[in-house]
Amino acid sequence: MRLKAAVAAAETQSATDLKNLATKQTSGTITTKQLRRMRHPFARRDPQTPLNPAVVNKQSGQLRAGWRILPIKASRTGTRTGVTNASVHAKLVKRAGSGKSKSVARPLVAAIFRKIRPERTARLRAALRKVIKETNL
């Protein structure tokens, strides 16, 4: 039970960090007007952007405000939680780069997971070490 509680606490903290990072990655400061002046740098027809495609500009703010932490789920293979975004804009960002979109691919989710993975792994290892240390006393 101690291990389960420690892992759940570590995953809860990781989910909070994940939500904060997702909010930050969707808080770009370039306005629609500025993007227009830049000739729509994320357009597939002429992708010439020096901008990071993993950072999404906030514009209306709906994508940024739409991040929600999922409840913890335990299964035979482990304990997990995560973050989701049900806004219409999230579907558009996810679809970007596909044949159905006029925008270049936006590796938002991959960038977030790449940034959070080392911290999450360290947090889970620390929780495991703590439980092992407590049970050996």
PDB file of all heavy atoms in Angstrom, residues 9-38:
ATOM      1  N   ALA A   9       1.268   9.727  -5.395  1.00  0.00           N
ATOM      2  CA  ALA A   9       1.690  11.091  -5.054  1.00  0.00           C
ATOM      3  C   ALA A   9       2.671  11.624  -6.091  1.00  0.00           C
ATOM      4  O   ALA A   9       2.575  12.787  -6.513  1.00  0.00           O
ATOM      5  CB  ALA A   9       2.327  11.113  -3.663  1.00  0.00           C
ATOM      6  N   ALA A  10       3.603  10.779  -6.527  1.00  0.00           N
ATOM      7  CA  ALA A  10       4.575  11.194  -7.548  1.00  0.00           C
ATOM      8  C   ALA A  10       3.864  11.510  -8.868  1.00  0.00           C
ATOM      9  O   ALA A  10       4.175  12.514  -9.530  1.00  0.00           O
ATOM     10  CB  ALA A  10       5.619  10.099  -7.752  1.00  0.00           C
ATOM     11  N   GLU A  11       2.915  10.679  -9.255  1.00  0.00           N
ATOM     12  CA  GLU A  11       2.188  10.903 -10.501  1.00  0.00           C
ATOM     13  C   GLU A  11       1.298  12.138 -10.426  1.00  0.00           C
ATOM     14  O   GLU A  11       1.127  12.852 -11.414  1.00  0.00           O
ATOM     15  CB  GLU A  11       1.360   9.672 -10.878  1.00  0.00           C
ATOM     16  CG  GLU A  11       2.177   8.536 -11.434  1.00  0.00           C
ATOM     17  CD  GLU A  11       2.789   8.862 -12.785  1.00  0.00           C
ATOM     18  OE1 GLU A  11       3.871   9.465 -12.820  1.00  0.00           O
ATOM     19  OE2 GLU A  11       2.180   8.521 -13.805  1.00  0.00           O
ATOM     20  N   THR A  12       0.734  12.395  -9.260  1.00  0.00           N
ATOM     21  CA  THR A  12      -0.074  13.604  -9.081  1.00  0.00           C
ATOM     22  C   THR A  12       0.778  14.849  -9.283  1.00  0.00           C
ATOM     23  O   THR A  12       0.370  15.790  -9.970  1.00  0.00           O
ATOM     24  CB  THR A  12      -0.731  13.604  -7.683  1.00  0.00           C
ATOM     25  OG1 THR A  12      -1.585  12.464  -7.580  1.00  0.00           O
ATOM     26  CG2 THR A  12      -1.546  14.864  -7.458  1.00  0.00           C
ATOM     27  N   GLN A  13       1.971  14.854  -8.706  1.00  0.00           N
ATOM     28  CA  GLN A  13       2.877  15.989  -8.889  1.00  0.00           C
ATOM     29  C   GLN A  13       3.307  16.111 -10.345  1.00  0.00           C
ATOM     30  O   GLN A  13       3.379  17.209 -10.897  1.00  0.00           O
ATOM     31  CB  GLN A  13       4.107  15.848  -7.982  1.00  0.00           C
ATOM     32  CG  GLN A  13       5.046  17.027  -8.070  1.00  0.00           C
ATOM     33  CD  GLN A  13       4.393  18.342  -7.669  1.00  0.00           C
ATOM     34  OE1 GLN A  13       3.763  18.427  -6.632  1.00  0.00           O
ATOM     35  NE2 GLN A  13       4.528  19.364  -8.490  1.00  0.00           N
ATOM     36  N   SER A  14       3.577  14.988 -10.993  1.00  0.00           N
ATOM     37  CA  SER A  14       3.963  15.012 -12.407  1.00  0.00           C
ATOM     38  C   SER A  14       2.830  15.555 -13.279  1.00  0.00           C
ATOM     39  O   SER A  14       3.076  16.295 -14.226  1.00  0.00           O
ATOM     40  CB  SER A  14       4.373  13.612 -12.876  1.00  0.00           C
ATOM     41  OG  SER A  14       5.573  13.219 -12.254  1.00  0.00           O
ATOM     42  N   ALA A  15       1.602  15.187 -12.955  1.00  0.00           N
ATOM     43  CA  ALA A  15       0.461  15.692 -13.719  1.00  0.00           C
ATOM     44  C   ALA A  15       0.314  17.205 -13.556  1.00  0.00           C
ATOM     45  O   ALA A  15       0.019  17.913 -14.519  1.00  0.00           O
ATOM     46  CB  ALA A  15      -0.824  14.986 -13.290  1.00  0.00           C
ATOM     47  N   THR A  16       0.543  17.694 -12.353  1.00  0.00           N
ATOM     48  CA  THR A  16       0.499  19.140 -12.121  1.00  0.00           C
ATOM     49  C   THR A  16       1.586  19.838 -12.928  1.00  0.00           C
ATOM     50  O   THR A  16       1.329  20.851 -13.585  1.00  0.00           O
ATOM     51  CB  THR A  16       0.656  19.447 -10.619  1.00  0.00           C
ATOM     52  OG1 THR A  16      -0.404  18.799  -9.907  1.00  0.00           O
ATOM     53  CG2 THR A  16       0.620  20.937 -10.355  1.00  0.00           C
ATOM     54  N   ASP A  17       2.795  19.272 -12.904  1.00  0.00           N
ATOM     55  CA  ASP A  17       3.889  19.837 -13.699  1.00  0.00           C
ATOM     56  C   ASP A  17       3.564  19.791 -15.189  1.00  0.00           C
ATOM     57  O   ASP A  17       3.857  20.729 -15.929  1.00  0.00           O
ATOM     58  CB  ASP A  17       5.194  19.084 -13.437  1.00  0.00           C
ATOM     59  CG  ASP A  17       5.757  19.318 -12.051  1.00  0.00           C
ATOM     60  OD1 ASP A  17       5.240  20.217 -11.337  1.00  0.00           O
ATOM     61  OD2 ASP A  17       6.701  18.603 -11.677  1.00  0.00           O
ATOM     62  N   LEU A  18       2.966  18.689 -15.613  1.00  0.00           N
ATOM     63  CA  LEU A  18       2.592  18.519 -17.021  1.00  0.00           C
ATOM     64  C   LEU A  18       1.577  19.575 -17.445  1.00  0.00           C
ATOM     65  O   LEU A  18       1.720  20.198 -18.502  1.00  0.00           O
ATOM     66  CB  LEU A  18       2.024  17.116 -17.220  1.00  0.00           C
ATOM     67  CG  LEU A  18       1.790  16.610 -18.619  1.00  0.00           C
ATOM     68  CD1 LEU A  18       3.089  16.560 -19.408  1.00  0.00           C
ATOM     69  CD2 LEU A  18       1.161  15.232 -18.574  1.00  0.00           C
ATOM     70  N   LYS A  19       0.580  19.817 -16.597  1.00  0.00           N
ATOM     71  CA  LYS A  19      -0.427  20.839 -16.898  1.00  0.00           C
ATOM     72  C   LYS A  19       0.220  22.222 -16.959  1.00  0.00           C
ATOM     73  O   LYS A  19      -0.070  23.010 -17.873  1.00  0.00           O
ATOM     74  CB  LYS A  19      -1.539  20.831 -15.862  1.00  0.00           C
ATOM     75  CG  LYS A  19      -2.605  21.865 -16.153  1.00  0.00           C
ATOM     76  CD  LYS A  19      -3.670  21.905 -15.098  1.00  0.00           C
ATOM     77  CE  LYS A  19      -4.654  23.002 -15.437  1.00  0.00           C
ATOM     78  NZ  LYS A  19      -5.347  23.518 -14.300  1.00  0.00           N
ATOM     79  N   ASN A  20       1.091  22.517 -16.017  1.00  0.00           N
ATOM     80  CA  ASN A  20       1.764  23.821 -16.014  1.00  0.00           C
ATOM     81  C   ASN A  20       2.625  24.006 -17.264  1.00  0.00           C
ATOM     82  O   ASN A  20       2.646  25.085 -17.855  1.00  0.00           O
ATOM     83  CB  ASN A  20       2.610  23.985 -14.754  1.00  0.00           C
ATOM     84  CG  ASN A  20       1.775  24.088 -13.500  1.00  0.00           C
ATOM     85  OD1 ASN A  20       0.591  24.417 -13.545  1.00  0.00           O
ATOM     86  ND2 ASN A  20       2.377  23.788 -12.363  1.00  0.00           N
ATOM     87  N   LEU A  21       3.321  22.962 -17.660  1.00  0.00           N
ATOM     88  CA  LEU A  21       4.154  23.031 -18.852  1.00  0.00           C
ATOM     89  C   LEU A  21       3.297  23.175 -20.107  1.00  0.00           C
ATOM     90  O   LEU A  21       3.619  23.961 -21.006  1.00  0.00           O
ATOM     91  CB  LEU A  21       5.043  21.786 -18.942  1.00  0.00           C
ATOM     92  CG  LEU A  21       6.097  21.772 -20.023  1.00  0.00           C
ATOM     93  CD1 LEU A  21       7.009  22.996 -19.942  1.00  0.00           C
ATOM     94  CD2 LEU A  21       6.914  20.493 -19.923  1.00  0.00           C
ATOM     95  N   ALA A  22       2.188  22.448 -20.170  1.00  0.00           N
ATOM     96  CA  ALA A  22       1.279  22.558 -21.310  1.00  0.00           C
ATOM     97  C   ALA A  22       0.704  23.971 -21.406  1.00  0.00           C
ATOM     98  O   ALA A  22       0.595  24.542 -22.493  1.00  0.00           O
ATOM     99  CB  ALA A  22       0.153  21.532 -21.193  1.00  0.00           C
ATOM    100  N   THR A  23       0.369  24.536 -20.266  1.00  0.00           N
ATOM    101  CA  THR A  23      -0.139  25.911 -20.251  1.00  0.00           C
ATOM    102  C   THR A  23       0.932  26.876 -20.755  1.00  0.00           C
ATOM    103  O   THR A  23       0.648  27.772 -21.563  1.00  0.00           O
ATOM    104  CB  THR A  23      -0.591  26.296 -18.828  1.00  0.00           C
ATOM    105  OG1 THR A  23      -1.618  25.390 -18.420  1.00  0.00           O
ATOM    106  CG2 THR A  23      -1.121  27.711 -18.777  1.00  0.00           C
ATOM    107  N   LYS A  24       2.156  26.677 -20.319  1.00  0.00           N
ATOM    108  CA  LYS A  24       3.252  27.535 -20.770  1.00  0.00           C
ATOM    109  C   LYS A  24       3.498  27.386 -22.277  1.00  0.00           C
ATOM    110  O   LYS A  24       3.693  28.375 -22.985  1.00  0.00           O
ATOM    111  CB  LYS A  24       4.527  27.175 -20.000  1.00  0.00           C
ATOM    112  CG  LYS A  24       5.720  28.025 -20.356  1.00  0.00           C
ATOM    113  CD  LYS A  24       6.938  27.624 -19.556  1.00  0.00           C
ATOM    114  CE  LYS A  24       8.152  28.431 -20.006  1.00  0.00           C
ATOM    115  NZ  LYS A  24       9.366  27.989 -19.322  1.00  0.00           N
ATOM    116  N   GLN A  25       3.453  26.139 -22.774  1.00  0.00           N
ATOM    117  CA  GLN A  25       3.699  25.891 -24.204  1.00  0.00           C
ATOM    118  C   GLN A  25       2.581  26.451 -25.088  1.00  0.00           C
ATOM    119  O   GLN A  25       2.773  26.612 -26.284  1.00  0.00           O
ATOM    120  CB  GLN A  25       3.838  24.392 -24.471  1.00  0.00           C
ATOM    121  CG  GLN A  25       5.113  23.764 -23.955  1.00  0.00           C
ATOM    122  CD  GLN A  25       6.334  24.172 -24.749  1.00  0.00           C
ATOM    123  OE1 GLN A  25       7.208  24.826 -24.217  1.00  0.00           O
ATOM    124  NE2 GLN A  25       6.393  23.794 -25.991  1.00  0.00           N
ATOM    125  N   THR A  26       1.430  26.722 -24.515  1.00  0.00           N
ATOM    126  CA  THR A  26       0.316  27.279 -25.280  1.00  0.00           C
ATOM    127  C   THR A  26       0.052  28.730 -24.892  1.00  0.00           C
ATOM    128  O   THR A  26      -1.065  29.225 -25.004  1.00  0.00           O
ATOM    129  CB  THR A  26      -0.962  26.433 -25.090  1.00  0.00           C
ATOM    130  OG1 THR A  26      -1.230  26.277 -23.697  1.00  0.00           O
ATOM    131  CG2 THR A  26      -0.823  25.078 -25.739  1.00  0.00           C
ATOM    132  N   SER A  27       1.091  29.402 -24.443  1.00  0.00           N
ATOM    133  CA  SER A  27       0.980  30.801 -24.042  1.00  0.00           C
ATOM    134  C   SER A  27       1.894  31.701 -24.865  1.00  0.00           C
ATOM    135  O   SER A  27       2.374  32.722 -24.370  1.00  0.00           O
ATOM    136  CB  SER A  27       1.321  30.958 -22.552  1.00  0.00           C
ATOM    137  OG  SER A  27       0.411  30.264 -21.765  1.00  0.00           O
ATOM    138  N   GLY A  28       2.138  31.323 -26.109  1.00  0.00           N
ATOM    139  CA  GLY A  28       2.973  32.160 -26.967  1.00  0.00           C
ATOM    140  C   GLY A  28       2.386  33.553 -27.090  1.00  0.00           C
ATOM    141  O   GLY A  28       1.171  33.750 -26.988  1.00  0.00           O
ATOM    142  N   THR A  29       3.225  34.535 -27.328  1.00  0.00           N
ATOM    143  CA  THR A  29       2.779  35.931 -27.281  1.00  0.00           C
ATOM    144  C   THR A  29       2.581  36.581 -28.648  1.00  0.00           C
ATOM    145  O   THR A  29       2.254  37.763 -28.721  1.00  0.00           O
ATOM    146  CB  THR A  29       3.793  36.763 -26.479  1.00  0.00           C
ATOM    147  OG1 THR A  29       5.070  36.644 -27.111  1.00  0.00           O
ATOM    148  CG2 THR A  29       3.890  36.286 -25.043  1.00  0.00           C
ATOM    149  N   ILE A  30       2.742  35.836 -29.709  1.00  0.00           N
ATOM    150  CA  ILE A  30       2.591  36.434 -31.041  1.00  0.00           C
ATOM    151  C   ILE A  30       1.104  36.498 -31.391  1.00  0.00           C
ATOM    152  O   ILE A  30       0.382  35.508 -31.299  1.00  0.00           O
ATOM    153  CB  ILE A  30       3.374  35.632 -32.094  1.00  0.00           C
ATOM    154  CG1 ILE A  30       4.859  35.654 -31.733  1.00  0.00           C
ATOM    155  CG2 ILE A  30       3.154  36.209 -33.492  1.00  0.00           C
ATOM    156  CD1 ILE A  30       5.724  34.780 -32.597  1.00  0.00           C
ATOM    157  N   THR A  31       0.655  37.675 -31.783  1.00  0.00           N
ATOM    158  CA  THR A  31      -0.757  37.878 -32.086  1.00  0.00           C
ATOM    159  C   THR A  31      -1.091  37.426 -33.510  1.00  0.00           C
ATOM    160  O   THR A  31      -0.200  37.225 -34.333  1.00  0.00           O
ATOM    161  CB  THR A  31      -1.134  39.367 -31.959  1.00  0.00           C
ATOM    162  OG1 THR A  31      -0.421  40.088 -32.975  1.00  0.00           O
ATOM    163  CG2 THR A  31      -0.794  39.915 -30.582  1.00  0.00           C
ATOM    164  N   THR A  32      -2.373  37.315 -33.789  1.00  0.00           N
ATOM    165  CA  THR A  32      -2.820  36.957 -35.132  1.00  0.00           C
ATOM    166  C   THR A  32      -2.351  38.001 -36.139  1.00  0.00           C
ATOM    167  O   THR A  32      -1.916  37.663 -37.243  1.00  0.00           O
ATOM    168  CB  THR A  32      -4.363  36.852 -35.164  1.00  0.00           C
ATOM    169  OG1 THR A  32      -4.772  35.917 -34.158  1.00  0.00           O
ATOM    170  CG2 THR A  32      -4.863  36.396 -36.505  1.00  0.00           C
ATOM    171  N   LYS A  33      -2.407  39.256 -35.760  1.00  0.00           N
ATOM    172  CA  LYS A  33      -1.957  40.337 -36.639  1.00  0.00           C
ATOM    173  C   LYS A  33      -0.471  40.185 -36.967  1.00  0.00           C
ATOM    174  O   LYS A  33      -0.059  40.339 -38.128  1.00  0.00           O
ATOM    175  CB  LYS A  33      -2.222  41.685 -35.972  1.00  0.00           C
ATOM    176  CG  LYS A  33      -1.959  42.881 -36.840  1.00  0.00           C
ATOM    177  CD  LYS A  33      -2.352  44.163 -36.104  1.00  0.00           C
ATOM    178  CE  LYS A  33      -2.125  45.386 -36.961  1.00  0.00           C
ATOM    179  NZ  LYS A  33      -2.537  46.604 -36.240  1.00  0.00           N
ATOM    180  N   GLN A  34       0.328  39.872 -35.962  1.00  0.00           N
ATOM    181  CA  GLN A  34       1.760  39.680 -36.194  1.00  0.00           C
ATOM    182  C   GLN A  34       2.018  38.462 -37.088  1.00  0.00           C
ATOM    183  O   GLN A  34       2.889  38.502 -37.958  1.00  0.00           O
ATOM    184  CB  GLN A  34       2.498  39.513 -34.863  1.00  0.00           C
ATOM    185  CG  GLN A  34       2.567  40.778 -34.053  1.00  0.00           C
ATOM    186  CD  GLN A  34       3.075  40.521 -32.650  1.00  0.00           C
ATOM    187  OE1 GLN A  34       2.703  39.546 -31.993  1.00  0.00           O
ATOM    188  NE2 GLN A  34       3.933  41.420 -32.168  1.00  0.00           N
ATOM    189  N   LEU A  35       1.260  37.386 -36.876  1.00  0.00           N
ATOM    190  CA  LEU A  35       1.410  36.201 -37.726  1.00  0.00           C
ATOM    191  C   LEU A  35       1.057  36.524 -39.175  1.00  0.00           C
ATOM    192  O   LEU A  35       1.700  36.046 -40.111  1.00  0.00           O
ATOM    193  CB  LEU A  35       0.537  35.055 -37.210  1.00  0.00           C
ATOM    194  CG  LEU A  35       0.979  34.411 -35.905  1.00  0.00           C
ATOM    195  CD1 LEU A  35      -0.089  33.463 -35.387  1.00  0.00           C
ATOM    196  CD2 LEU A  35       2.299  33.680 -36.087  1.00  0.00           C
ATOM    197  N   ARG A  36       0.029  37.337 -39.359  1.00  0.00           N
ATOM    198  CA  ARG A  36      -0.364  37.755 -40.714  1.00  0.00           C
ATOM    199  C   ARG A  36       0.766  38.535 -41.372  1.00  0.00           C
ATOM    200  O   ARG A  36       1.100  38.310 -42.533  1.00  0.00           O
ATOM    201  CB  ARG A  36      -1.643  38.589 -40.643  1.00  0.00           C
ATOM    202  CG  ARG A  36      -2.327  38.769 -41.977  1.00  0.00           C
ATOM    203  CD  ARG A  36      -3.656  39.527 -41.878  1.00  0.00           C
ATOM    204  NE  ARG A  36      -4.553  39.023 -40.849  1.00  0.00           N
ATOM    205  CZ  ARG A  36      -4.922  39.716 -39.753  1.00  0.00           C
ATOM    206  NH1 ARG A  36      -4.487  40.938 -39.556  1.00  0.00           N
ATOM    207  NH2 ARG A  36      -5.737  39.194 -38.881  1.00  0.00           N
ATOM    208  N   ARG A  37       1.369  39.443 -40.600  1.00  0.00           N
ATOM    209  CA  ARG A  37       2.501  40.223 -41.139  1.00  0.00           C
ATOM    210  C   ARG A  37       3.689  39.332 -41.501  1.00  0.00           C
ATOM    211  O   ARG A  37       4.467  39.651 -42.391  1.00  0.00           O
ATOM    212  CB  ARG A  37       2.960  41.270 -40.121  1.00  0.00           C
ATOM    213  CG  ARG A  37       2.093  42.474 -40.067  1.00  0.00           C
ATOM    214  CD  ARG A  37       2.737  43.534 -39.179  1.00  0.00           C
ATOM    215  NE  ARG A  37       1.738  44.466 -38.723  1.00  0.00           N
ATOM    216  CZ  ARG A  37       1.673  44.985 -37.515  1.00  0.00           C
ATOM    217  NH1 ARG A  37       2.582  44.677 -36.612  1.00  0.00           N
ATOM    218  NH2 ARG A  37       0.726  45.827 -37.187  1.00  0.00           N
ATOM    219  N   MET A  38       3.829  38.231 -40.782  1.00  0.00           N
ATOM    220  CA  MET A  38       4.927  37.297 -41.037  1.00  0.00           C
ATOM    221  C   MET A  38       4.583  36.322 -42.176  1.00  0.00           C
ATOM    222  O   MET A  38       5.308  35.380 -42.430  1.00  0.00           O
ATOM    223  CB  MET A  38       5.236  36.498 -39.765  1.00  0.00           C
ATOM    224  CG  MET A  38       5.723  37.350 -38.624  1.00  0.00           C
ATOM    225  SD  MET A  38       5.744  36.453 -37.049  1.00  0.00           S
ATOM    226  CE  MET A  38       7.224  35.509 -37.231  1.00  0.00           C
TER     227      MET A  38
END
